[in-house]
Amino acid sequence: MALEHAILVSLLEQPASGYELARRFERSIGRFWTATHQQIYRVLKRMEADGWVAGLDVGQDGRPDKRSYRASDAGRAVLTEWLRAPVQPEAVRHDLAVKIRGAAFDDAAGRGRLIDEVRRYRATHEETLARYLAGAERDFPAGRAEDTGQQLQHVVLRGGIAYERMLLDWLDDVLETLLKGLP
């Protein structure tokens, strides 16, 4: 996937300025596709030059004007082509998993440092899970009717929640295994 596709999806959900897109990436899309503010602005400029998005200057009271973007028909066509193309399974590259395997060749002090690293890594994923759960509660309260777009957003978020839970379970297993191997 390219950042352009993530931006097109977001703009089809709702037109936005570059700043608003960056906030959306921090809040939702960024769970699965990250981009810096600078990347988003740079890609938006290129997408506008290519005719994939249309920008409109919007005046604001007491603030500088902003440029709001929406996906154009050409952008929708590009996204549709990409959506219909087959997806190849992603290769997993996981530095921590390689370090865990390599711990068999390190001394107890090195394994102790690895335990600290696994705990730090686990804490980061606990925070991510908490953010996902808070977002699910905020954006998808129980009993609220969801349209197709909301259902699809929700199912992606549920996938993220399931992934984080699986990862935390695995990290608990890793910690238990590493701790057994210490004197």
Side-chain angles (χ1 to χ4, degrees), residues 9 13 29 31-32 38 49 55 60 70 77 90 96 102 112 132 135 137-138 154 164 170-172 175:
V9 167
E13 290 173 348
I29 293 174
R31 296 175 182 128
F32 305 98
Q38 294 84 1
Q60 301 186 102
R70 65 169 180 73
E90 292 138 5
L96 185 61
Y132 287 4
E137 189 174 307
R138 177 193 64 233
H154 196 182
E164 292 300 327
W170 175 69
L171 291 168
D172 288 342
L175 285 169

Side-chain angles (χ1 to χ4, degrees), residues 45-114:
K45 187 175 182 178
R46 186 174 65 245
M47 291 172 72
E48 186 172 21
D50 292 342
W52 295 8
V53 299
L56 174 68
D57 290 325
V58 177
Q60 301 186 102
D61 290 333
R63 293 197 207 149
D65 292 350
K66 68 178 181 178
R67 190 150 183 85
S68 184
Y69 297 90
R70 65 169 180 73
S72 67
D73 290 341
R76 184 182 287 269
V78 166
L79 182 63
T80 298
E81 182 180 331
W82 177 78
L83 289 171
R84 294 177 181 174
V87 176
Q88 297 301 317
E90 292 138 5
V92 176
R93 293 178 54 161
H94 202 292
D95 287 351
L96 185 61
V98 175
K99 287 184 177 201
I100 292 164
R101 270 187 81 149
F105 306 105
D106 204 351
D107 60 17
R111 284 192 299 279
R113 284 191 294 279
L114 179 59

